[in-house]
């Protein structure tokens, strides 16, 4: 059962990373600037986040197995349509459809896992599910880069058809049948405030970067409206009987500390993932395939550390493991950022990426395990929904902000008709690239510095994670 969940999750993580190596090609093929093309990634992430809030309710209403099969089917259909897109607008729309299905896959899968796993084996089971975080980022850039260079970017999406069909077939045969659950009403007002509020906030941030102006009404209005809608959702969730997301979970110190850590760490860690393939292609002139290959060390280190960290968190205090992971990631980001230039040896960057990956793998799954351990059977859907929502939306916000920062940094440092700032699809000659590469590399270095700051800040909530072993935590009412 766990391996089926892993296979389904791989599709979502694969599609979150595979697009990164194709950003430059999509910009060129569709004649669209970075601020528009990045919505192929951000729109997908936002759609994931929009569906996650309703997942806990839908799990109780329709059953975990039935909902999981529906999610895989919707994701697969969206993949086929994305591969058939005829312009950048249609691609973004179909990526959103993909995300609507993908947003339910991880939280429903985690709910199925939480209900099946014994508490003393939760870390091990979560690390197995975390294989998707290894295989997706590891194969996504490489396979995606090869498809972009040698076949067509459309096959980045068509490849999900046989995988999705296999998951549906296996899950339908092997997953436990749904049992009747107590139904609760859907918090429609909460849903109508949270999902659009998040989308409006990200839209405002991204539009500000595209226009290089955060003072216009077209930017300020969606940011303010989005923030007010999110605040309204929080106020409602604290007073209504059946909230869309049960904020009472945050009374648990472990859950609150873990989710606080995820907000900052995921924004910096996943948000920066869009930068690496762009750096290799725009600054160094590498192909999409090579850009994917050069990122393998980080993905491999992340997946390996995740398997180790998931097993350690079943035996040792999660606070100590997570603090170690964040420190490793911060050290890796500092090394990478400090060394980044137009001619930095690739082996230096790959070593730094390995340290970043090791830190990320030692942080993510132990933090998510700390958030969900000790919760009851009835709390599992709400907890998995909340954790996945926070993780996904933090990554979406991070990606949008990083895109804005990079676009503005390139615009400030490079000018003239040959500058790729804001339009990464504009072909430039080797001679022109050599002349602007130092300035472009400086823009990437500046942007990575912001990601490093977020990683360092995540140490603060991580200090409040449990410092005792799992067995002791289970007997501690403070959590």
């Amino acid at each position: 059962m766990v391996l089926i969940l892993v296979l389904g999750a791989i599709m979502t993580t694969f599609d979150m990373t595979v697009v990164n190596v194709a950003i430059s090609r999509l910009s060129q093929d569709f004649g669209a600037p970075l601020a528009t093309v990045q919505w192929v990634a951000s729109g997908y992430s936002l759609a994931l986040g929009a569906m996650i809030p309703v997942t806990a309710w839908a799990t109780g209403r329709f059953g975990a197995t039935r909902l999981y099969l529906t999610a895989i089917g919707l994701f697969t259909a969206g993949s086929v349509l994305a591969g058939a897109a005829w312009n950048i607008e249609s691609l973004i729309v179909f990526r959103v459809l993909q995300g609507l299905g993908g947003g339910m896959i991880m939280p429903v899968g985690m709910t199925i896992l939480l209900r099946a796993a014994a508490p003393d084996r939760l870390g091990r089971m979560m690390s197995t599910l975390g294989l998707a975080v290894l295989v997706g980022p590891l194969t996504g850039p490489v396979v995606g880069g090869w498809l972009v260079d040698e076949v067509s970017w459309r096959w980045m999406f068509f490849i999900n058809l046989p995988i999705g069909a296999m998951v549906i077939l296996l899950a339908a045969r092997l997953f436990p049948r749904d049992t009747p659950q107590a139904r609760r009403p859907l918090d429609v007002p909460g849903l109508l405030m949270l999902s659009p509020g998040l989308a409006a906030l990200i839209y405002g941030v991204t539009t500000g970067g595209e226009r290089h102006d955060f003072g216009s009404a077209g930017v300020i209005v969606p940011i303010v409206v989005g923030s007010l809608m999110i605040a309204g959702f929080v106020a409602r969730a604290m007073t209504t009987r059946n909230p869309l997301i049960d904020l009472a979970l945050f009374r648990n110190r472990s859950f609150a500390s873990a989710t606080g850590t995820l907000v900052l760490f995921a924004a910096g860690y996943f948000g920066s993932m869009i930068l690496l393939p762009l750096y290799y292609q725009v600054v160094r002139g590498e192909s999409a395939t090579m850009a994917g290959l050069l990122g393998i060390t980080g993905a491999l280190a992340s997946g390996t550390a995740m398997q180790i960290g998931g097993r350690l968190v079943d035996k040792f205090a999660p606070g100590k493991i997570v603090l170690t992971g964040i420190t490793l990631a911060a050290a890796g980001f500092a090394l990478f950022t400090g060394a980044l230039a137009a001619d930095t040896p690739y082996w230096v960057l790959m070593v730094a990426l390995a340290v970043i990956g090791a830190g990320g793998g030692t942080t993510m799954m132990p933090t998510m395990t700390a958030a969900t351990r000790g919760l009851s059977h009835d709390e599992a859907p709400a907890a998995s929904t909340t954790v996945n929502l926070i993780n996904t939306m933090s990554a979406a916000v991070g990606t949008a902000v990083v895109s804005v920062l990079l676009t503005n940094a390139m615009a400030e440092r490079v000018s003239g008709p040959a500058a790729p700032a804001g339009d990464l699809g504009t072909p430039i000659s080797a001679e022109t690239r050599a002349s602007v590469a130092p300035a472009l590399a400086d823009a990437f270095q500046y942007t990575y510095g912001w990601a490093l700051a977020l990683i360092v800040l995540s140490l603060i909530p991580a200090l409040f994670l449990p410092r005792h072993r799992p067995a002791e935590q289970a007997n501690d009412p403070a959590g």
Side-chain angles (χ1 to χ4, degrees), residues 120-384:
D120 60 346
R121 291 178 57 84
L122 181 58
R124 181 184 297 268
M125 298 286 278
M126 290 283 281
S127 66
T128 302
L129 183 60
L131 282 171
V133 184
L134 164 63
V135 177
L138 185 64
T139 61
V142 179
V143 175
W146 179 79
L147 290 172
V148 168
D149 288 336
E150 304 298 333
V151 187
S152 168
W153 60 263
R154 298 180 184 277
W155 281 94
M156 297 189 308
F157 305 112
F158 289 149
I159 198 173
N160 287 325
L161 179 58
I163 300 175
M166 183 185 304
V167 171
I168 290 174
L169 177 63
L170 293 174
R173 295 188 60 183
L174 300 178
F175 275 21
R177 291 184 177 274
D178 291 316
T179 56
Q181 302 287 328
R183 296 182 179 180
R184 62 186 182 90
L186 174 62
D187 180 17
V188 176
L191 179 63
L192 294 178
M193 284 189 285
L194 181 58
S195 296
L198 291 168
L201 182 63
I202 302 303
Y203 173 80
V205 172
T206 305
T207 303
E210 182 179 358
R211 298 177 181 177
H212 310 300
D213 177 17
F214 280 86
S216 65
V219 174
I220 293 177
V221 170
I223 290 177
V224 172
V225 170
S227 300
L228 290 175
M229 292 179 75
I230 294 171
F233 164 77
V234 172
R236 176 178 173 79
M238 295 176 66
T239 57
T240 189
R241 178 177 297 180
N242 295 294
L244 187 66
I245 295 178
D246 186 7
L247 298 185
L249 289 168
F250 289 93
R251 296 173 184 169
N252 182 299
R253 192 185 72 181
S254 295
F255 187 87
S257 302
T259 51
T261 302
L262 284 175
V263 167
L264 296 167
F265 190 87
Y269 186 77
F270 292 113
S272 68
M273 283 187 174
I274 195 175
L275 296 175
L276 186 64
L278 287 175
Y279 164 78
Y280 283 130
Q281 293 176 80
V282 174
V283 179
R284 307 301 288 264
E286 298 290 355
S287 67
T289 302
M290 183 56 68
L293 289 170
L294 289 169
I296 279 184
T297 56
L300 186 60
S302 174
T304 302
M306 188 175 296
Q307 299 308 304
I308 297 172
R311 285 157 175 76
L312 290 176
V313 80
D314 282 337
K315 301 178 180 179
F316 302 100
K320 297 178 181 179
I321 297 172
V322 173
L323 285 173
T324 300
I326 295 175
T327 303
L328 266 177
F333 268 101
L335 175 61
F336 188 92
T337 304
L340 196 64
D343 57 355
T344 306
Y346 284 166
W347 71 266
V348 174
L349 299 180
M350 294 176 76
V351 168
L353 289 172
V355 178
I356 292 173
T362 311
T363 300
M364 292 302 299
M365 296 314 292
T367 302
M368 296 176 78
T369 301
T372 54
R373 175 180 281 136
L375 299 179
S376 69
H377 180 279
D378 292 336
E379 291 174 319
S384 61

Side-chain angles (χ1 to χ4, degrees), residues 26-99:
L26 292 172
S27 180
Q28 181 177 349
D29 286 359
F30 290 123
L34 170 62
T36 299
V37 176
Q38 71 90 21
W39 276 98
V40 175
S42 294
Y44 174 78
S45 296
L46 284 173
L48 270 115
M51 284 305 296
I52 289 175
V54 77
T55 301
W57 170 83
T59 299
R61 175 65 178 82
F62 302 106
T65 297
R66 189 179 296 112
L67 186 61
Y68 188 81
L69 293 172
T70 301
I72 294 291
L74 185 59
F75 179 87
T76 304
S79 298
V80 174
L81 290 171
W86 54 90
N87 56 29
I88 191 64
E89 291 80 12
S90 64
L91 178 57
I92 292 172
V93 168
F94 294 140
R95 282 283 286 172
V96 168
L97 180 62
Q98 258 192 307

Side-chain angles (χ1 to χ4, degrees), residues 291-468:
L293 289 170
L294 289 169
I296 279 184
T297 56
L300 186 60
S302 174
T304 302
M306 188 175 296
Q307 299 308 304
I308 297 172
R311 285 157 175 76
L312 290 176
V313 80
D314 282 337
K315 301 178 180 179
F316 302 100
K320 297 178 181 179
I321 297 172
V322 173
L323 285 173
T324 300
I326 295 175
T327 303
L328 266 177
F333 268 101
L335 175 61
F336 188 92
T337 304
L340 196 64
D343 57 355
T344 306
Y346 284 166
W347 71 266
V348 174
L349 299 180
M350 294 176 76
V351 168
L353 289 172
V355 178
I356 292 173
T362 311
T363 300
M364 292 302 299
M365 296 314 292
T367 302
M368 296 176 78
T369 301
T372 54
R373 175 180 281 136
L375 299 179
S376 69
H377 180 279
D378 292 336
E379 291 174 319
S384 61
T385 293
T386 305
V387 168
N388 278 278
L389 173 64
I390 288 173
N391 195 42
T392 300
M393 295 314 302
S394 297
V397 170
T399 300
V401 171
V402 161
S403 297
V404 169
L405 291 170
L406 178 61
T407 299
N408 289 339
M410 290 193 298
E412 292 172 358
R413 289 162 175 77
V414 184
S415 60
D423 186 4
L424 300 180
T426 302
I428 59 176
S429 65
E431 292 78 10
T432 302
R433 177 178 285 108
S435 66
V436 300
L440 290 174
D442 184 64
F444 278 89
Q445 185 181 49
Y446 166 82
T447 309
Y448 266 108
W450 284 96
L452 170 60
L454 288 170
I455 298 298
V456 172
L457 285 174
S458 69
L459 285 167
I460 297 174
L463 290 172
F464 297 94
L465 287 170
R467 300 298 186 88
H468 34 67

